[in-house]
Amino acid sequence: MTHRRAGGEPAVDAELVESVEAGAELLREVCDQALEALGSTVPPTQLRALLIVDRFDRLNLNTLAQEMRASNSATSRLCDRLQASGLIVREAAARDRREVVISLSLPGRRLVGWARRQRRRELAKVIDTMSPAGREALVNGLSAFRAALDGHP
């Protein structure tokens, strides 16, 4: 159960929230630096969409739009660009021919695999400099954060 202050704000120490925010920004920065080799060939929004498609394996436009927190029309235009680049495949769903299912093409899978390896390599460099206790605290903290996101505090 989340405790709330008057006005509905969570009762969490502001310094803790700022620290988590700063950590998240640094984590994103490390991940972004890892992908700089892509340059402008695959913009960040397109790469984010590819990573989401990879996580689901196959999904429809509505699900991708929800995950992207974007409108269906914007997501459809994004998919047009990804398909034109040969990174995704769109096909009719087996159950309902009107539904379009999105999946990664072979080049899309290769790109996502490369991106994940790059990010993991950069993250490993940072984690390697941490103490064993720091690593354990990081894993425990991230696990608790994920559980809270999933509604299992």
Side-chain angles (χ1 to χ4, degrees), residues 18-124:
E18 288 175 16
S19 180
V20 170
E21 179 186 29
E25 287 176 4
L26 290 172
L27 186 61
R28 172 163 284 178
E29 193 173 302
V30 169
C31 289
D32 288 348
Q33 287 173 0
L35 302 176
E36 283 180 359
L38 283 174
S40 62
T41 57
V42 180
T45 302
Q46 290 184 15
L47 183 58
R48 184 168 167 249
L50 292 171
L51 290 165
I52 291 168
V53 173
D54 182 59
R55 190 174 75 230
F56 280 81
D57 190 41
R58 296 170 55 88
L59 73 167
N60 64 25
L61 182 70
N62 291 338
T63 303
L64 180 57
Q66 288 171 355
E67 291 292 315
M68 296 285 300
R69 293 178 177 83
S71 69
N72 282 2
S73 60
T75 304
S76 181
R77 289 190 301 275
L78 175 66
C79 286
D80 290 342
R81 291 188 295 276
L82 290 170
Q83 187 173 21
S85 298
L87 298 172
I88 64 165
V89 174
R90 289 193 269 194
E91 56 195 359
R95 291 185 316 264
D96 181 354
R97 306 294 292 163
R98 294 172 294 171
E99 180 182 20
V100 175
V101 177
I102 303 162
S103 60
L104 294 178
S105 65
L106 183 57
R109 287 191 193 290
R110 287 183 182 139
L111 178 63
V112 166
W114 177 86
R116 288 191 193 286
R117 286 189 303 277
Q118 290 295 106
R119 287 192 318 191
R120 288 174 182 162
R121 187 174 301 129
E122 291 304 312
L123 289 168

Side-chain angles (χ1 to χ4, degrees), residues 119-142:
R119 287 192 318 191
R120 288 174 182 162
R121 187 174 301 129
E122 291 304 312
L123 289 168
K125 287 178 187 177
V126 175
I127 293 167
D128 189 49
T129 66
M130 296 173 69
S131 69
R135 291 177 190 171
E136 185 176 346
L138 177 64
V139 169
N140 290 338
L142 290 173

